[in-house]
Amino acid sequence: MNQLRTRCFEVQKFLMRKNCYITLFFSLVCLLLCQQAFAGNPLYMNPDGTPLVWDTTTPIKYKVDAQGLGKLSFEQSLKLVQESLAVWESVPGTGIKFEYIGTTEEAITINNWEEIAANHVYAEGYGVIPANTTDSQVEHYLIIGFDNTGEIITAKGSGGASGVASMTGVAGTLENPEYIISGHLFLNGLFFNGREDDGKDLELIDFMAVLVHELGHALGLDHNLFHYEMYSRIINGEYDPSYARYLPTMFPRFIKTTGQHVITLNPDDIATLKWLYGAEDFYTISGDVFDTAGNPKDTLLVTARDTSSSLCNAYAQATSVTCSQMNSLSSGEGFNFYNGKYCVDDDMLGSYVIPVLDNGAYSIDVGEIPTPFASSISKFGSKIQQITGGAEFYNVGDGITEDPYMYDEVYMDGADLEDINIMLASSVPSSGELERIDFTYFEESDSFGLLDDGDCPEQSFYDVDEVVYGVSAPVDSANTSQQALTWPGCSLRGGHTTALMTSSSPGLNLACAHSLILALMFGILLVARRAAVSPVAERGS
């Protein structure tokens, strides 16, 4: 089925490029044959219901800033970039390969960044090249820049962030984009400048984690939101930071000193990337969430868990995130289809499609998106729903009132599972309303398993210092629970950021700054959301 979907959309995009009149007819056939072909949390969606990603029939070209990052030399910075790119290249079946094509002609600064890296989205399908179009947009490449003063990230509206990524170009038109053709990613050198007086410097492995996360956004992945309670208990000192191994690389928060976990992709990260880029070796679990009146429920978090490894092998998607017509205006007018706020197609409001990697038995639970993550999914614009009757598991005998922990397994056996629909209870159970099924339930319940070797065991130590400096890093576990990076996933209209805050202001870890990127062409307003950072053992996405 995955192969059929891939071929279907390849032909569809070919017809779109040729402006064929039969494209509309073929699109309808694709929707019938390949319905709900995509899952996970995509950053951008096309009007035809497919995610907007890079064309991987050729390598993704990139240039690196012609200067070093913070206290790193240029050569050391390039090694860090290439090691981070290799994390995503290592996922089999996606076709993702990167090609280094050199440095920018000059070092990028606050004075020239828009001329080099662009601050708007260019669509080449209109047949004109506006005067403000950059070489990266015309020649199709990604720019990885080093903002050593923090001024560029501030100019993008993401002041204080440690990293930000934005899409800057698409093949096709803004109404019907085909592929991402250009983008930029900036890292804040103030977080690695060697100064002790500003309290910002990260360990190199943690800075690599920031880069790996932002590259995920550059590839088209949005944030993954499950295990919020686990994250909260780590930063509050109730759980050991080693629990961060259960949080995806694309989680909206990063716990300082957990970079080793972040640079190792979680099963959810891998499955979502495979789904986005049309790999063959994954399956999907799909359905709809609705209330007792049959109304679809959008912006809820649905999580599928392999019952033999319920914390590590967990996969999630927010309902309505794959809406095929996410428009910029509630009226259905406007042009920013691929990353708008409003779902014009009501049939998609309650839909979810979750990619998973393995056959086996799965439980499905549904809950609310955590309030601190309200803006972590770019399309929702902070508008998230409360769950009717509280969080609950999928079960065959859904009732108006029921035990939220009653569940039925679904079995993946070499084919996608469809119509796994969830009717939400209309009244709160006597045990009280749940926002989400707490991760401790899976640890304590006899019905769910953990891997014999510890469930998501820590990966072997990756010595990034040896790779970048040629010298092994000293082992230092100090301050493990005292500082945290947060990238509260504020990625609207082309921007994702990560920021760091001091432990004197722990509440800021929930903050989400908004940056407005004016698409100077065609009057498109692109809103880029960023992340605030907090300093109490957090983890990142």
Side-chain angles (χ1 to χ4, degrees):
M1 185 60 176
N2 292 330
Q3 185 175 12
L4 172 61
R5 292 169 177 161
T6 302
R7 299 303 303 165
C8 183
F9 289 119
E10 283 177 356
V11 176
Q12 184 182 21
K13 288 182 176 181
F14 170 79
L15 293 175
M16 290 173 67
R17 287 195 293 270
K18 297 300 182 182
N19 296 318
C20 295
Y21 289 107
I22 59 174
T23 300
L24 178 59
F25 170 76
F26 189 81
S27 297
L28 294 174
V29 174
C30 272
L31 289 175
L32 291 174
L33 292 179
C34 312
Q35 187 177 17
Q36 295 185 316
F38 296 100
N41 282 325
L43 186 52
Y44 311 109
M45 288 296 291
N46 287 319
D48 64 3
T50 63
L52 182 60
V53 295
W54 294 80
D55 178 5
T56 57
T57 58
T58 59
I60 299 171
K61 297 178 181 179
Y62 70 97
K63 284 189 176 183
V64 175
D65 201 337
Q67 62 182 326
L69 170 62
K71 64 184 179 182
L72 297 177
S73 68
F74 170 77
E75 290 75 16
Q76 292 168 337
S77 303
L78 180 60
K79 287 181 181 178
L80 181 67
V81 167
Q82 293 178 332
E83 288 297 301
S84 301
L85 292 169
V87 171
W88 294 104
E89 282 184 324
S90 68
V91 179
T94 63
I96 293 173
K97 296 294 179 185
F98 294 95
E99 179 184 345
Y100 175 55
I101 58 173
T103 69
T104 55
E105 291 187 5
E106 56 185 317
I108 304 176
T109 68
I110 186 61
N111 298 318
N112 62 15
W113 75 275
E114 292 186 72
E115 288 74 27
I116 296 175
N119 191 28
H120 64 282
V121 176
Y122 160 68
E124 66 178 7
Y126 297 104
V128 295
I129 302 178
N132 63 342
T133 306
T134 66
D135 289 345
S136 66
Q137 293 170 314
V138 175
E139 298 173 16
H140 299 186
Y141 57 85
L142 174 70
I143 287 180
I144 299 175
F146 307 139
D147 182 12
N148 288 327
T149 65
E151 294 175 289
I152 297 172
I153 291 175
T154 297
K156 286 176 62 65
S158 304
S162 54
V164 60
S166 296
M167 177 185 69
T168 61
V170 294
T173 65
L174 294 174
E175 297 86 355
N176 286 292
E178 299 173 26
Y179 296 107
I180 299 172
I181 60 172
S182 64
H184 64 236
L185 186 159
F186 284 102
L187 297 174
N188 192 335
L190 296 180
F191 287 86
F192 206 73
N193 59 11
R195 292 176 53 184
E196 297 182 359
D197 58 338
D198 60 11
K200 287 185 176 182
D201 263 24
L202 302 175
E203 296 296 328
L204 185 58
I205 189 66
D206 284 348
F207 211 85
M208 179 177 175
V210 172
L211 178 51
V212 170
H213 176 93
E214 295 303 335
L215 284 169
H217 291 318
L219 288 170
L221 281 74
D222 210 329
H223 290 128
N224 298 332
L225 305 179
F226 60 87
H227 290 169
Y228 169 74
E229 281 73 21
M230 183 184 294
Y231 155 79
S232 297
R233 290 171 196 179
I234 296 173
I235 67 172
N236 290 331
E238 300 173 45
Y239 274 73
D240 189 87
S242 64
Y243 269 76
R245 67 189 184 275
Y246 295 124
L247 302 178
T249 296
M250 299 309 296
F251 190 74
R253 298 289 191 278
F254 168 70
I255 304 167
K256 191 176 180 183
T257 74
T258 65
Q260 290 286 346
H261 301 307
V262 178
I263 66 169
T264 302
L265 299 182
N266 185 277
D268 185 272
D269 302 308
I270 295 170
T272 301
L273 191 74
K274 284 177 175 287
W275 154 68
L276 283 174
Y277 283 89
E280 299 294 323
D281 52 341
F282 72 93
Y283 310 99
T284 59
I285 301 173
S286 62
D288 291 277
V289 179
F290 49 88
D291 61 22
T292 53
N295 300 310
K297 301 297 291 184
D298 62 314
T299 70
L300 295 180
L301 184 63
V302 184
T303 305
R305 303 173 185 272
D306 183 333
T307 57
S308 68
S309 174
S310 54
L311 296 185
C312 180
N313 290 306
Y315 310 84
Q317 186 191 93
T319 58
S320 73
V321 78
T322 56
C323 179
S324 59
Q325 292 288 341
M326 292 298 286
N327 206 288
S328 55
L329 299 175
S330 58
S331 63
E333 300 176 355
F335 302 98
N336 201 8
F337 294 110
Y338 54 85
N339 197 0
K341 294 182 180 179
Y342 303 99
C343 184
V344 180
D345 183 359
D346 289 343
D347 291 339
M348 296 291 291
L349 279 174
S351 297
Y352 71 90
V353 192
I354 300 174
V356 301
L357 295 178
D358 299 309
N359 287 313
Y362 287 82
S363 67
I364 313 291
D365 60 86
V366 58
E368 295 178 10
I369 289 176
T371 301
F373 293 170
S375 57
S376 291
I377 298 295
S378 63
K379 299 178 181 66
F380 297 161
S382 300
K383 290 183 61 177
I384 58 173
Q385 302 289 331
Q386 293 184 327
I387 188 167
T388 306
E392 62 177 88
F393 280 99
Y394 162 79
N395 60 76
V396 176
D398 269 338
I400 295 176
T401 303
E402 63 181 17
D403 179 354
Y405 296 106
M406 182 187 305
Y407 77 96
D408 288 306
E409 294 177 334
V410 298
Y411 295 91
M412 183 68 68
D413 187 18
D416 297 342
L417 295 176
E418 301 177 350
D419 298 323
I420 309 300
N421 301 322
I422 303 171
M423 184 182 75
L424 300 174
S426 61
S427 59
V428 177
S430 58
S431 58
E433 183 174 358
L434 298 170
E435 292 184 353
R436 287 163 295 281
I437 303 295
D438 196 285
F439 77 97
T440 56
Y441 176 75
F442 300 97
E443 283 193 311
E444 298 166 359
S445 173
D446 294 335
S447 301
F448 295 91
L450 303 178
L451 295 178
D452 292 338
D453 54 1
D455 202 26
C456 257
E458 296 187 48
Q459 302 296 311
S460 57
F461 179 73
Y462 175 74
D463 196 345
V464 66
D465 290 73
E466 172 67 27
V467 173
V468 173
Y469 296 130
V471 179
S472 293
V475 177
D476 181 9
S477 58
N479 299 321
T480 297
S481 60
Q482 296 175 356
Q483 272 204 329
L485 273 179
T486 329
W487 36 64
C490 306
S491 63
L492 254 159
R493 254 72 59 221
H496 274 271
T497 68
T498 306
L500 180 69
M501 302 187 303
T502 67
S503 53
S504 61
S505 54
L508 294 180
N509 66 324
L510 307 182
C512 183
H514 303 165
S515 78
L516 299 180
I517 296 180
L518 292 178
L520 303 179
M521 308 178 317
F522 318 112
I524 302 297
L525 179 65
L526 303 178
V527 181
R529 304 227 171 196
R530 115 227 51 300
V533 188
S534 132
V536 252
E538 306 179 40
R539 154 173 179 139
S541 94

